[in-house]
């Protein structure tokens, strides 16, 4: 840490406390960071339930939580059916987690795929079901052993809603190549808005390292300019469809020495953008 910043941090107690009470800050990046003032996702809401109710890995920055709540409600309102099952977000203060390499800074969430039975009826899955290239998966025996189908209509509705949500700034939707191909093929036949298809073609991605994600979506939102100014570090792309405020230069100076002085002298940006 450079001397001037160290001095200011010492005077303030800690740099990370130099934000107003109640502010959520995603510090660092999703694989090496932590979460300050995270917001918990309820165990259930319109169109969603948590797969591990009562468990604490359910914190995020407000923009992540509200994006999920909006998208689940849209799918529920338009198509009905079983609720979206939500896996892990981040621990109350982020940081390392035994089930994840990322999920550390309040910008990641796991969404278990919507499923139907073999007759096409929406069903609430149990456990985690991996789908093959035909879109068929089998529940673990201890959870019933049902044969399920990947619900293309509801999963696409979820993806398009997240990607067209201008507030959310979804950066990645990690999913296997097989799932991506299935969704894009469905969208090519049914999606009226070409922008949704374009965004999905870029933002759905099978992780280069780690698991293929054939049993859930892993959704990550970008830092956004204000979180970046508070210490959030984006490693991913800046998509062309993000609004100017997110796409172009930060509205606030980053917290280098000069930026920190400006921050102290000129006040605090809106923390939850
Ligand atoms: Zn994940």
């Amino acid at each position: 840490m450079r001397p001037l910043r160290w001095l200011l941090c010492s005077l303030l107690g800690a740099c990370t406390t130099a934000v107003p009470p109640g502010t959520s800050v995603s510090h660092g990046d999703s694989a090496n960071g932590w979460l300050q003032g995270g917001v918990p996702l309820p165990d259930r809401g319109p169109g969603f339930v948590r797969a591990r109710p009562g468990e604490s890995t359910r914190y995020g920055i407000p923009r992540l939580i509200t994006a999920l709540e909006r998208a689940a409600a849209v799918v529920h309102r338009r198509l009905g059916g079983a609720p979206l099952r939500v896996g892990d977000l981040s621990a109350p203060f982020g940081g390392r987690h035994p089930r994840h390499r990322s999920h550390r800074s309040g910008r990641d969430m796991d969404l278990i795929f919507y499923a139907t039975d073999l007759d096409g009826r929406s069903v609430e899955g149990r456990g985690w079901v991996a789908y093959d290239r035909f879109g068929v998966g089998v529940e673990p025996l201890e959870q019933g052993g049902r044969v399920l189908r990947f619900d293309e209509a509801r999963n696409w509705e979820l993806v398009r809603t997240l990607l067209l949500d201008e507030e959310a700034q979804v950066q990645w939707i990690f999913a296997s190549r097989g799932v991506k191909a299935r969704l894009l093929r469905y969208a090519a036949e049914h999606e009226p808005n070409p922008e949704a298809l374009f965004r999905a073609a870029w933002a759905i991605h099978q992780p280069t390292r780690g698991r293929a994600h054939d049993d859930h979506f892993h959704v990550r939102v970008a830092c956004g300019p204000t979180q970046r100014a508070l210490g959030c570090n984006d490693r991913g792309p800046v998509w062309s469809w993000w609004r100017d405020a997110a796409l172009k230069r930060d509205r606030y100076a980053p917290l280098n020495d000069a930026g920190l002085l400006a921050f102290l002298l000129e006040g605090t940006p809106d923390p939850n953008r």
Side-chain angles (χ1 to χ4, degrees):
M1 185 178 291
R2 283 176 287 180
L4 177 55
R5 185 163 183 191
W6 179 85
L7 178 63
L8 285 166
C9 290
S10 300
L11 291 172
L12 290 167
C15 285
T16 52
T17 60
V19 293
T23 301
S24 292
V25 183
S26 173
H27 291 280
D29 63 55
S30 55
N32 185 17
W34 65 286
L35 175 64
Q36 181 179 6
V39 176
L41 180 75
D43 276 345
R44 58 178 57 243
F48 74 88
V49 294
R50 288 190 62 231
R52 297 185 177 96
E55 195 268 358
S56 65
T57 313
R58 57 170 170 159
Y59 286 78
I61 59 171
R63 183 156 41 80
L64 180 78
I65 304 292
T66 54
L68 166 60
E69 291 175 330
R70 280 194 297 271
V74 165
V75 177
H76 184 65
R77 191 171 65 243
R78 292 190 181 155
L79 299 176
L84 173 66
R85 295 171 63 234
V86 181
D88 287 342
L89 280 71
S90 292
F93 296 97
R96 279 178 181 272
H97 193 283
R99 287 193 288 270
H100 305 280
R101 276 199 322 203
S102 59
H103 286 254
R104 293 192 185 186
S105 61
R107 295 189 290 116
D108 297 271
M109 59 182 171
D110 290 337
L111 307 179
I112 300 171
F113 298 142
Y114 291 97
T116 72
D117 62 17
L118 292 179
D119 295 321
R121 287 183 296 250
S122 174
V123 294
E124 186 170 337
R126 308 178 198 113
W128 298 67
V129 176
Y131 291 88
D132 65 16
R133 64 195 177 97
F134 303 107
V136 175
V138 183
E139 282 180 336
L141 271 182
E142 62 273 20
Q143 277 146 354
R146 292 179 299 178
V147 179
L148 300 178
R149 280 193 189 283
F150 182 82
D151 186 340
E152 293 172 349
R154 287 179 182 80
N155 285 311
W156 173 250
E157 189 70 31
L158 177 71
V159 164
R160 79 179 297 280
T161 304
L162 285 168
L163 291 176
L164 292 174
D165 183 338
E166 306 297 348
E167 293 298 318
Q169 289 178 35
V170 170
Q171 187 172 45
W172 289 118
I173 297 180
F174 295 117
S176 70
R177 291 191 189 96
V179 165
K180 178 174 182 176
R182 186 160 289 281
L183 286 170
L184 293 184
R185 194 170 57 202
Y186 177 87
E189 286 179 27
H190 298 90
E191 174 57 53
N193 183 352
E195 180 67 20
L197 203 55
F198 173 76
R199 295 183 186 188
W202 283 99
I204 301 175
H205 177 65
Q206 177 172 314
T208 313
R209 294 185 302 162
R211 295 166 43 208
H213 288 65
D214 57 4
D215 58 359
H216 70 284
F217 296 118
H218 175 140
V219 176
R220 178 172 300 156
V221 298
C223 288
T226 304
Q227 286 288 332
R228 262 202 309 280
L230 294 171
C232 187
N233 181 19
D234 259 333
R235 299 202 302 179
V238 174
W239 299 121
S240 61
W241 56 83
W242 286 343
R243 290 181 310 187
D244 279 358
L247 176 63
K248 302 286 168 34
R249 290 172 30 196
D250 290 350
R251 286 174 297 168
Y252 307 100
L255 290 186
N256 53 23
D257 294 344
L260 184 57
L261 279 174
F263 172 80
L264 292 170
L265 294 173
E266 294 169 12
T268 309
D270 172 4
N272 291 328
R273 289 295 310 276

